[in-house]
Amino acid sequence: MLTSRRVVLILISFLLVLLGVRLVWIFYLTPQNIAQTVQGVADLRDRELDSEGLISLRGEWEFYQNQLIMDNNGALPSPTERTMLQVPGKWNGPPFGYGSYRLRVLVNGDAEQIYGIKVPMIPSSSELFVNGKMLGRSGETGESADDYTARNVPYTAIFASDREEIEIVVQVANFDDRLGGGIFGPIVFGDGISISQNAQMSSWLQISLCLILLVHAAYSVILYFMGVRQRGLLYFFGLVVCAMISTLIDDSQLLLVWFPIDNDWSYRIFYIVYLGIAGFLMQFMSYLMPGSGRKRGLRAYTTVCVAYSLAALFLPVNWLTRMDALHTIIIMIPYLVISVLAFRSVTKGNKDTIFILMGVSAVTFNIIWGLIRASFWQEMGFYPMDMIAAFVAFASYWFKRYLRTSEQTVKHAMKMMEEDRLKDQFLARTSHELRNPLHAMLNIGHSLLRGNGNYDETANRENMELLVSVGKRMSLLLNDLLDLARLKENRINLQLRAVNVQGVVSGVLDMVRFMTEGKPIQLINRVPDDFPPVVADENRLVQILFNLLHNAAKFTNEGYIAVDASFRNGQAYVAVSDTGIGMNEDTKQVLFEPYEQGRGPIQAGDVSGLGLGLSICKQLVELHRGTISVTSSPNEGSEFTFTLPISDEDVPQDEVTREEVPAKALVMPDVMKETAAALLASGPELYKRDPADIANILVVDDDPVNLRVLEEVLAMESYEITKAKNGNEAIAILATKEWDLVIADVMMPRMSGFELSRAIRERYKIAELPILLLTARGQPEDIEAGFQAGANDYLVKPVDAMELKSRVRALTDGKKSFRERLRMEAAWLQAQIQPHFLFNTLTSIAALSELDTVRMRTLVEVFGNYLRASFDPRNLERIVPLRHELDLVRSYLYIEKERFENRLQVEWDVDESIHLTVPPLSIQPLVENAVRHGIMKRVGGGKIRIRIVEYEDCAEVRIEDDGVGMDESTRRRLLDDHGGQDRGIGLRNTNRRLKQLYGQGLRIISSPGSGTTIIFMVKKAKF
């Protein structure tokens, strides 16, 4: 907001700038010299007309009153009939009459010199004679009103003379202007070029100003007809047109020169135009500053202007001239009123109004200088800068307002788009929040109806309690919306009484304690036992505290949530603080708006619900005549503080206290009752079955009720259910075992179901781990987004239990088939003993039969063991003992050792007592690959090392060789499922099976010439 002092300083600075520009214009751009005339003689013999330019002929002129001397063929009356008068100035005597002014100008008498004379406006007619010849006139002079023609325009005359004395005679007649007769402006003498240029410059300045004003008039008309038809545009157009006409009747009187307008109509146009400027200016400013004045006063002023204009059209001119003072007062009113209103508007905070104040000041400044020019400084020519500055200021205000309006329009459009987005989000959230309990109710009922003949009264009672609780939850979701509507319509009545804050806080903390289970969060009640009671509706106070504590628990992962209370000045200050994620400024600004759930990056994806809690909380506090505020910074927690009036009464003795009744006896919002019940009912019990016979399903949902429902629905099938409350927890659980299916809700905090699907697809292909998404949104674009994220199937809530079980069965059967295919592929690959290996082994046996029969018999025995192990049915199982796999590896290496002898060195680093199970045919293909494609590619052979390192809950299997190694592209191609089929089939199969079982596959370390190391991790068997 601009202070009065600052506005005055700005205005003074602006006027000083205008003054500086005007003075520069006067003294440097349009200078004039003065020649003092004495006794009707101006001596210019020592003056250089070419360099001095314009010379104002001021001083004593010979005046012959009531004589038109040039009508007597130039014969001068006797000297006794003449007087000396000052020019500029009035003649002596009555205003009406006629006379002749005579001046002798002494020059050097240059025959080549061209002279010029500029005659100003002379009321009401004039004729210029030089050396006896008429060179110019305005109207016609005469000795009576009937003999003369009034016309008041300036004119110039250009002539040549070789005389040393130039006689100038100006005959004047006035029978209309009651202000007086005479020559009121200076007659300017000089060389012809300077006089012509001065006259042309004055005319062009007026035309230029009119062109500038015409541009303003044009765009106002264009905007009016092309856009919204605002009356302000018409007012501005009228103001500009009147300003153009006033410019054309000033100085050079171009309008009177261009058109045959007589003297009477020139007066009438003058009066009407200036009234038009005043009236349109008042209307325009009233439009720009609505509410700045009274409409009745504006209508009265407009009426006066219209009435005066009509009078100017029809009344005699001499009547109008008698009312000049009234005319001046009327046209000055807008400048005074608008200046005051604009000044007040600026000081009240409307900064843009400073442009209006500057524009009005520029016009007023121009009027003051006009009076100075008319009274004391007639040599001053036409000056357009003040009017240009004024209209630029007015246009600046309008354009500033237009730009601000456009900006506000864009903001409103953006707000409407945001409101539309919030509406869509609200509808989606409402659908989700209503479909979730509906989904739970339908499936709980379905599981009760299809109990497969097993009657468990305890379980059925728990399910029925959960069913009732979920139904209440759905009801209360709708009640939240009704509460918001009632608050907006002020239809909530409070049951005010003295309430014990400490007891209520303790009870509400117990309500939200279930939300902190599994989190390292401490709930602290710091309200003193002797804290005075407050005036409140206890049920609504519980609702306020619960909303704040629920919000704190939702966004706090560790630390504490505390409630403090203090009182001062008859008000209780209750503060709920936490060490949660905090919030940024954008979030704080919209925090208490309905349906808002935060816009900052910290809150992105971390919210659920309808976004009504804090809005309802704020309105309930205000109903208690209190206030609520929040202080928070990102990653530094938040503190909500609300006030309530201290009660003058004590809490009734029969009121239930915290010591007498547990917290659950307090009024608890039912939505929390069923949520807590759902969490308590959804214990961590898992169905204990043989993992080899059942499918492992990971269920991910932030709603404990939904987790419980899915567990109940799938409990009758042969599934082992593991639950996760969010996507991050699910990602961590994935690596603990082999999973057959992931069932995930789409709308979850922190990580949505879509994001979880994409994260899973980075580790598992679509056939390796199926994903079933559940959501309350069933639009085609939502389903498409689910499949693009990597989901195998998509179900819309509420889900029919039979359909859900059918989909789950299909997906788990598909996963089982894929797993079996991998094992069969591994067994088939092992069974496909390559002909050259078989031929080479038989050749070795044949050779040893002639050289060493003992070695031959041993080789035959080992070869038999190798064949039996290769075709062992246990190779079709998911896992086998480590000993079984190592026996196959030893048989293979013994055969290759007998064949290559010293070219193959084998080193074992294995603890034989380790209890470990591994996927069948997982180590042998790696060893065979190292021998065939690594060591044997070198002429001198090399060494292979089999090493198993035992850790606490897992073991690391390493196959190392010092063979030829491989480059990076080859290494990537070996494990690429889309790579060629000529090599690496065994490695890819092993890699996929390890991922299925342990969540991670093979890791290959190799470089050309440096050998290769292949590593994989296996979980230790639990006994």
Side-chain angles (χ1 to χ4, degrees), residues 501 505 508-509 512 523-527 541-553 556 560-566 573-580 583 614 617 628-632 637-643:
V501 177
V505 170
V508 177
L509 284 174
V512 300
L523 301 179
I524 305 173
N525 184 356
R526 295 175 181 161
V527 182
L541 178 58
V542 170
Q543 189 174 0
I544 293 169
L545 285 169
F546 175 78
N547 283 338
L548 296 177
L549 289 168
H550 180 275
N551 187 72
T556 302
Y560 68 86
I561 300 173
V563 182
D564 298 87
S566 61
Y573 292 80
V574 183
V576 177
S577 57
D578 62 67
T579 56
M583 65 190 82
L614 291 179
C617 180
I628 186 169
S629 60
V630 60
T631 57
S632 180
S638 305
E639 180 175 298
F640 289 83
T641 304
F642 66 92
T643 63

Side-chain angles (χ1 to χ4, degrees), residues 515-521 550-558 579-582 597 601-609 635 700-703 724-731 745-759:
M515 293 188 64
T516 63
E517 292 180 1
K519 294 182 180 181
I521 299 176
H550 180 275
N551 187 72
K554 184 165 57 173
F555 293 112
T556 302
N557 296 319
E558 60 181 359
T579 56
I581 62 176
Q597 297 181 316
I602 291 180
Q603 282 76 20
D606 290 352
V607 292
S608 59
N635 302 315
V700 190
D701 200 313
D702 62 312
D703 191 334
K725 295 179 182 179
N726 54 65
N728 293 326
E729 183 180 347
I731 292 296
D745 186 37
V746 169
M747 299 180 69
M748 293 188 296
R750 294 182 178 85
M751 179 183 289
S752 69
F754 295 149
E755 294 172 316
L756 175 61
S757 299
R758 284 189 285 268

Side-chain angles (χ1 to χ4, degrees), residues 6 186 481 994:
R6 190 173 180 184
L481 295 173
L994 289 171

Side-chain angles (χ1 to χ4, degrees), residues 122 158 170 247 306 359 464 553 641 759 841 969:
I122 299 176
I158 308 297
V170 180
T247 301
V306 172
M464 291 303 297
T641 304
T841 303
S969 62

Side-chain angles (χ1 to χ4, degrees), residues 487-499:
L487 283 167
K488 285 184 177 180
E489 298 172 5
N490 297 319
R491 291 193 292 112
I492 287 185
N493 296 319
L494 300 180
Q495 305 297 322
L496 298 177
R497 64 188 184 90
V499 178

